[in-house]
């Protein structure tokens, strides 16, 4: 290995040869993180992605041809060559063409995805389910820290504070967002708890909203059996999830307004119902009163002609008869009871003994004797009186 | 009549409107209309009480993977 040390410029020119020789002109994509145009007409800007950054230059001649001056944050595509700026000792991108990538590239990807998913019937109108008019259990799929959640809750507090929300949290942008959103939708749907689901997020660049165009989310929204509202970004943003949902809301707060009943409107409806009910009942009462007064008039007339006393007498008569009737009824009932009691008593075997009869049994034999022939002298017998009993021995028997 | 707890707002409102129509129609007797009226008042009470309830309920489910 040649050990003689190179000068800096010798090294830099070697780097220049290797780098510029090795890399052809090519397209690159990145986000503009800094853009300045000099009086000289040249523009210097930096492109970056989440790991690195690259300084670029747009020479005066080319700058004029382009009709696009990027803003910081724009996602752009650029065509050019990597060159070494020897004086600065660094490489940079010599830019020939510069365009907004966001719209061009993403727009194409959006259309392609839209065609593909449309072919699967995910946007078909007959899939759409109507929203419940007065939901009380609403599922939410959005980022727990996002503005969308707060907007929805704020609208709900005002319109329908009794409505309960279950939030299935999910990242709404960045790697893995689509999978999380889709899983959250399916989890809520399968739980069967919500009557309607709102999925969405606050505003952002087309790239920020991209997760809501990705197939997993669009499929989850389309296959969701619970009525689902998609509210992604601002009014102007339309995502494929919006097309697949049962209802597209321009913004999260609009989604809350479209799903939730308005308490003030409901109160008015209640008051109106109360009023109509009250009016109907008072009408009914008035009718009843009129019906009574019409009937009472003749009675009044009787009173005028002294018949009232008869009427009242008749009423007294009736009530007296009524009282008597009741008393009679009671008496008769009491008699019947006594009669029944008496009959019962005399059936009682023991009662007969009271009248002087006695029951005779052979000793040890419970069967009472009714025929003297069954006995002969010397037999032992037991005699049961009304009170107490005796044992005796037969001296003789006779038959009459 | 369902106990108010299970009754949904929507069910209550539907029943209330049924009652009003019945009252405005030719209800057979005064007693029936009074009974319907009472039921209506109870329903209105239930709905108004829900409207006024201020306390919002939000439950954050576990992230999907842990469900």
């Amino acid at each position: 290995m040649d050990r003689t040390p190179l000068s800096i410029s010798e090294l830099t020119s070697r780097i220049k040869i290797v780098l510029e020789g090795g890399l052809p002109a090519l397209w690159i994509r990145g986000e503009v993180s800094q853009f300045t145009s000099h009086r000289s007409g040249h523009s210097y800007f930096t492109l970056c992605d989440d790991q690195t950054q690259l300084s670029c230059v747009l020479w005066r001649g080319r700058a004029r041809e382009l009709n696009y001056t990027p803003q910081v944050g724009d996602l752009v595509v650029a065509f050019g060559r990597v060159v070494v700026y020897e004086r600065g000792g660094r490489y940079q991108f010599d830019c020939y063409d510069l365009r907004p990538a966001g719209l061009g590239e993403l727009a194409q990807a959006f259309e392609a995805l839209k065609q593909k998913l449309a072919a699967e019937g995910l946007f078909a109108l007959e899939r759409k389910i109507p929203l419940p008019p007065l939901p009380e259990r609403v599922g939410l799929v959005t980022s727990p820290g996002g503005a969308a959640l707060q907007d929805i809750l704020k609208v709900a507090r005002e319109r329908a504070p009794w409505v309960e929300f279950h939030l299935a949290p999910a990242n709404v942008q960045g790697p893995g967002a689509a999978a999380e959103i889709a899983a959250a939708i399916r989890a809520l749907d399968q739980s069967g708890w919500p009557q309607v689901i709102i999925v969405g997020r606050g505003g952002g660049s087309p790239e920020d909203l991209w997760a809501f165009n990705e197939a997993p989310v669009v499929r989850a929204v389309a296959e969701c059996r619970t009525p689902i509202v998609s509210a992604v970004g601002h009014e102007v943003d339309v995502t494929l999830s919006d097309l697949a949902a049962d209802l597209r809301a321009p913004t999260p707060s609009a989604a809350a307004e479209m799903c939730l009943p308005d308490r003030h409107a409901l109160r008015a409806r209640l008051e109106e119902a109360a009023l109509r009910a009250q009016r109907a009942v008072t009408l009914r009462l008035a009718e009843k009163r009129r019906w009574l007064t019409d009937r009472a008039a003749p009675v009044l007339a009787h009173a005028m002609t002294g018949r009232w006393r008869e009427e009242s007498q008749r009423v007294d008569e009736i009530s007296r008869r009524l009282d008597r009737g009741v008393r009679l009824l009671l008496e008769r009932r009491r008699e019947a009871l006594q009669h029944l009691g008496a009959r019962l008593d005399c059936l009682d075997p023991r009662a007969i003994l009271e009248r002087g009869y006695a029951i005779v049994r052979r000793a040890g034999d419970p069967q009472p004797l009714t025929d003297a022939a069954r006995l002969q002298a010397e037999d032992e017998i037991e005699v049961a009186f009304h009170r107490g009993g005796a044992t005796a021995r037969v001296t003789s028997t006779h038959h009459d | 009549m369902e106990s108010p707890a299970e009754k949904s707002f929507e069910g209550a409102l539907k029943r209330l409107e049924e009652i009003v129509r019945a009252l405005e129609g030719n209800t057979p007797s005064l007693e029936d209309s009074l009974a319907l009226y009472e039921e209506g008042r109870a329903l209105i009470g239930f709905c108004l009480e829900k409207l006024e309830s201020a306390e919002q309920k939000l439950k954050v489910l576990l992230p999907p993977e842990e469900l």
Side-chain angles (χ1 to χ4, degrees):
Chain A
M1 192 185 69
D2 175 354
R3 285 183 55 78
T4 53
L6 289 175
S7 73
I8 303 299
S9 42
E10 276 160 356
L11 172 65
T12 306
S13 59
R14 283 230 190 138
I15 292 174
K16 189 175 177 63
I17 293 159
V18 166
L19 219 141
E20 293 185 5
L23 276 174
L26 38 80
W27 283 95
I28 60 170
R29 179 161 59 88
E31 184 177 329
V32 176
S33 60
Q34 182 260 335
F35 189 91
T36 46
S37 313
H38 268 244
R39 274 186 322 288
S40 61
H42 308 320
S43 305
Y44 298 91
F45 58 100
T46 314
L47 289 185
C48 68
D49 56 21
D50 40 25
Q51 273 103 26
T52 60
Q53 63 176 13
L54 170 72
S55 37
C56 313
V57 67
L58 189 62
W59 301 111
R60 181 175 50 227
R62 298 192 194 105
R64 268 199 305 281
E65 288 146 27
L66 295 179
N67 50 27
Y68 165 63
T69 36
Q71 306 300 324
V72 170
D74 280 4
L75 190 65
V76 295
V77 284
F79 182 70
R81 287 175 54 80
V82 173
V83 296
V84 172
Y85 172 45
E86 287 170 289
R87 180 164 287 300
R90 49 181 166 51
Y91 67 87
Q92 62 188 24
F93 189 76
D94 192 352
C95 185
Y96 304 151
D97 184 358
L98 184 64
R99 282 186 231 155
L103 298 180
E105 212 186 39
L106 284 180
Q108 278 146 21
F110 180 84
E111 280 314 317
L113 251 176
K114 188 169 158 190
Q115 252 61 32
K116 176 162 157 284
L117 298 176
E120 287 177 34
L122 298 185
F123 307 134
L125 280 180
E126 51 281 5
R127 289 184 84 105
K128 310 287 183 202
I129 333 171
L131 263 57
L134 291 166
E136 297 187 36
R137 300 187 307 278
V138 177
L140 296 175
V141 173
T142 185
S143 123
L149 177 62
Q150 296 318 321
D151 291 350
I152 291 173
L153 293 180
K154 184 163 156 298
V155 169
R157 254 192 302 280
E158 177 42 35
R159 287 175 71 89
W162 66 88
V163 170
E164 198 180 336
F165 291 90
H166 278 190
L167 167 68
N171 275 317
V172 288
Q173 73 183 63
E180 276 182 44
I181 298 167
I185 293 174
R186 292 190 195 283
L188 269 178
D189 188 24
Q190 271 136 26
S191 78
W193 181 83
Q195 291 163 301
V196 63
I197 296 175
I198 300 177
V199 56
R201 55 155 291 155
S205 68
E207 296 75 20
D208 298 340
L209 314 182
W210 189 257
F212 290 87
N213 292 322
E214 295 188 46
V217 172
V218 181
R219 282 206 189 91
V221 169
E223 286 153 15
C224 183
R225 280 182 313 285
T226 315
I228 185 162
V229 178
S230 166
V232 182
H234 298 307
E235 287 74 5
V236 69
D237 303 309
V238 174
T239 60
L240 296 184
S241 132
D242 297 337
L243 304 182
D246 298 312
L247 179 71
R248 173 197 178 238
T251 62
S253 10
E257 268 147 28
M258 292 158 108
C259 291
L260 301 179
D262 173 18
R263 131 167 76 172
H264 307 293
L266 279 178
R267 187 175 296 117
R269 209 166 132 191
L270 281 174
E271 267 140 24
E272 195 237 331
L275 208 62
R276 276 170 57 195
Q278 212 145 13
R279 214 180 300 125
V281 172
T282 32
L283 202 69
R284 170 73 54 212
L285 281 172
E287 252 167 52
K288 200 71 184 172
R289 213 169 291 121
R290 236 195 340 285
W291 176 78
L292 275 174
T293 46
D294 297 349
R295 291 290 296 277
V299 175
L300 281 176
H302 286 175
M304 296 307 154
T305 59
R307 293 267 310 273
W308 174 259
R309 279 187 300 285
E310 249 171 65
E311 288 289 330
S312 51
Q313 223 170 349
R314 240 178 79 248
V315 167
D316 292 347
E317 176 61 31
I318 294 169
S319 61
R320 253 203 315 286
R321 269 220 317 288
L322 196 67
D323 292 347
R324 221 183 311 102
V326 166
R327 270 203 311 284
L328 215 63
L329 192 71
L330 282 179
E331 249 151 51
R332 223 180 289 118
R333 187 152 308 143
R334 219 174 296 114
E335 269 161 31
L337 273 174
Q338 272 154 4
H339 180 60
L340 206 63
R343 272 189 43 243
L344 209 64
D345 291 349
C346 70
L347 287 173
D348 175 2
R350 283 185 309 276
I352 299 166
L353 304 185
E354 209 173 353
R355 296 211 292 280
Y357 293 89
I359 301 173
V360 177
R361 293 185 182 89
R362 194 190 298 279
D365 173 358
Q367 190 56 27
L369 291 169
T370 54
D371 176 358
R374 308 246 324 266
L375 290 174
Q376 65 252 10
E378 299 317 320
D379 276 0
E380 225 185 274
I381 54 168
E382 283 166 9
V383 181
F385 300 103
H386 173 56
R387 264 191 291 280
T391 54
R393 191 177 304 288
V394 173
T395 53
S396 69
T397 60
H398 53 78
H399 309 282
D400 32 346
Chain B
M1 187 175 82
E2 266 170 88
S3 81
E6 303 124 36
K7 187 191 286 99
S8 72
F9 202 101
E10 194 175 338
L13 256 186
K14 230 186 243 121
R15 175 63 186 145
L16 180 59
E17 267 144 12
E18 252 169 51
I19 286 175
V20 172
R21 274 195 302 281
L23 286 174
E24 286 173 337
N26 38 32
T27 21
S29 74
L30 181 59
E31 288 66 27
D32 286 353
S33 41
L34 287 180
L36 280 176
Y37 182 70
E38 281 321 314
E39 189 189 346
R41 289 299 321 174
L43 288 170
I44 291 174
F46 164 76
C47 292
L48 281 178
E49 184 249 317
K50 270 226 171 194
L51 287 190
E52 302 318 327
S53 73
E55 157 261 343
Q56 192 176 53
K57 292 190 277 298
L58 166 71
K59 184 162 159 246
V60 182
L61 304 184
L62 299 176
E65 331 61 80
E66 286 152 36
L67 261 188

